[in-house]
């Protein structure tokens, strides 16, 4: 199932009000939000499944709260000149949070076990921290706090990810770590063998993960921590089914794809 706001360009502020969304761009009843159909199905039982309805309401409330936490204080995100990979969000905890009317869905999040994760559609997007792009730094901060499970989450950056510290093509961009330190958050260089020292891990290029590293990362997330990964999957992916990070993200129902978009400009709502 796909929410109608993934399929159409809708004002960002209407999205969190899942049960009461204005749909100015929705032309037919067939495109009504899937949550409305859930409610209609529940109503048809005439209250016979009160416990089931309560579970549905709780799940919808959590989706709403997750979306609001990730997008708090953000109206637009500037992703100009970044060729994004399109994504899929189809699971019960999937949160589509970054959508471009032409490029499509390019930012998704979800829950696995006790933890949380987020996918961004280009590895170069991490280079843009501190660049002044509208909404981007706010998005990083929100993701760090949401995936880390607390406002003062300890942020980990893989020690081998030196390219994340400074963009070799546009060396003006400051370290992503400085962004978090400026907000009073601790930042640590770490490895996949030392993840217990951090609450949330930022990294790129998950196509290089070995099965052993995927297992360690999965255990890290299921224990209640989180990660944010940025992949240019349209260039890196050889097989959707065999893409390493999907072994973890499939539980949340969020995925990278091999589909790219060359559309510009790049303001996301």
């Amino acid at each position: 199932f796909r929410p109608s706001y993934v399929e159409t360009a809708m004002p960002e502020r209407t999205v969190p009000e899942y049960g009461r969304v204005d749909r100015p761009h929705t032309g037919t009843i067939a495109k009504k939000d899937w949550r409305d159909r859930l409610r209609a199905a529940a109503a048809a039982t005439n209250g016979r499944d009160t416990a089931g309805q309560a579970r549905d309401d709780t799940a919808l409330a959590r989706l709403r709260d997750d979306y609001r936490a990730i997008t708090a204080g953000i109206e637009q995100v500037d992703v100009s000149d970044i060729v994004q990979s399109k994504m899929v969000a189809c699971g019960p905890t999937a949160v589509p949070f970054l959508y471009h009317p032409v490029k499509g869905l390019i930012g998704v999040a979800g829950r696995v076990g006790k933890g949380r994760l987020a996918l961004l559609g280009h590895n170069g997007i991490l280079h843009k921290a501190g660049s002044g792009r509208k909404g981007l730094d706010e998005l990083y901060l929100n993701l760090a706090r949401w995936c880390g499970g607390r406002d003062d989450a300890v942020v980990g950056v893989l020690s081998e990810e030196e390219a994340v510290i400074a963009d070799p093509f546009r060396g003006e961009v400051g370290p992503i770590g400085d962004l978090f330190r400026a907000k009073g958050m601790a930042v640590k260089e770490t490895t996949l063998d030392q993840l217990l020292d951090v609450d949330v891990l930022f990294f790129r290029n998950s196509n290089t993960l070995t099965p052993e590293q995927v297992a360690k990362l999965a255990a890290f997330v299921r224990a209640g921590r989180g990660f944010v990964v940025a992949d240019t999957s349209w260039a890196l992916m050889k097989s959707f089914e065999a893409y390493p990070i999907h072994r973890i993200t499939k539980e949340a129902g969020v995925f990278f794809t091999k589909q790219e978009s060359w559309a510009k400009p790049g303001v996301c709502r």
Side-chain angles (χ1 to χ4, degrees):
F1 51 87
R2 295 179 61 198
S4 60
Y5 63 83
V6 175
E7 300 170 350
T8 59
M10 302 207 319
E12 183 268 341
R13 291 302 173 198
T14 68
V15 173
E17 305 298 333
Y18 286 124
R20 296 174 282 115
V21 174
D22 294 330
R23 302 181 180 83
H25 303 285
T26 301
T28 67
I29 286 180
K31 281 193 173 182
K32 288 190 69 176
D33 196 298
W34 61 270
R35 293 173 183 82
D36 289 349
R37 294 197 290 273
L38 284 177
R39 288 192 173 86
T45 66
N46 294 320
R48 288 191 296 271
D49 187 9
T50 303
Q53 179 65 51
R55 286 193 298 271
D56 286 345
D57 289 345
T58 299
L60 293 175
R62 187 166 69 173
L63 285 171
R64 178 198 62 206
D65 293 344
D66 287 348
Y67 178 87
R68 287 176 171 172
I70 293 170
T71 62
I74 301 172
E75 292 186 0
Q76 294 181 333
V77 177
D78 182 0
V79 292
S80 301
D81 72 30
I82 302 174
V83 183
Q84 302 283 344
S85 305
K86 293 185 178 180
M87 299 184 178
V88 174
C90 60
T93 70
V95 181
F97 63 82
L98 197 57
Y99 175 76
H100 188 276
V102 176
K103 292 184 176 183
L105 183 58
I106 56 177
V108 296
R111 293 173 177 261
V112 172
K114 298 178 181 178
R116 306 168 182 182
L117 53 87
L119 315 182
L120 295 169
H122 195 286
N123 54 19
I125 198 170
L126 294 184
H127 296 316
K128 310 302 180 184
S131 63
R133 287 172 175 256
K134 185 174 184 179
L136 193 57
D137 286 354
E138 291 82 358
L139 178 63
Y140 290 144
L141 288 165
N142 289 349
L143 287 174
R145 290 164 175 158
W146 183 78
C147 290
R150 54 195 182 106
D151 288 345
D152 60 346
V154 177
V155 179
V157 178
L158 292 182
S159 56
E160 60 266 31
E161 286 282 4
E162 294 180 2
V164 175
I165 303 302
D167 187 337
F169 301 106
R170 302 177 179 81
E172 300 295 322
V173 179
I176 192 170
D178 287 352
L179 170 66
F180 299 121
R181 292 187 188 100
K183 297 298 181 180
M185 301 167 72
V187 180
K188 292 185 177 182
E189 263 192 22
T190 188
T191 69
L192 289 169
D193 294 319
Q194 299 173 324
L195 291 179
L196 292 181
D197 293 335
V198 301
D199 297 307
V200 56
L201 179 69
F202 277 71
F203 69 106
R204 316 173 306 153
N205 300 343
S206 69
N207 64 301
T208 64
L209 293 175
T210 66
E212 293 76 17
Q213 290 172 328
V214 170
K216 291 176 181 178
L217 193 56
F220 171 75
V221 173
R222 291 193 177 99
R225 294 178 170 87
F227 66 77
V228 179
V229 57
D231 275 14
T232 311
S233 59
W234 60 263
L236 301 174
M237 182 180 293
K238 295 181 179 179
S239 166
F240 180 89
E241 292 78 10
Y243 204 59
I245 202 69
H246 287 173
R247 299 175 204 168
I248 303 173
T249 67
K250 65 182 180 181
E251 187 173 325
V254 294
F255 303 92
F256 289 107
T257 76
K258 196 169 175 57
Q259 186 176 7
E260 79 275 21
S261 173
W262 298 87
K264 296 181 181 180
V267 173
C268 287
R269 294 183 182 273

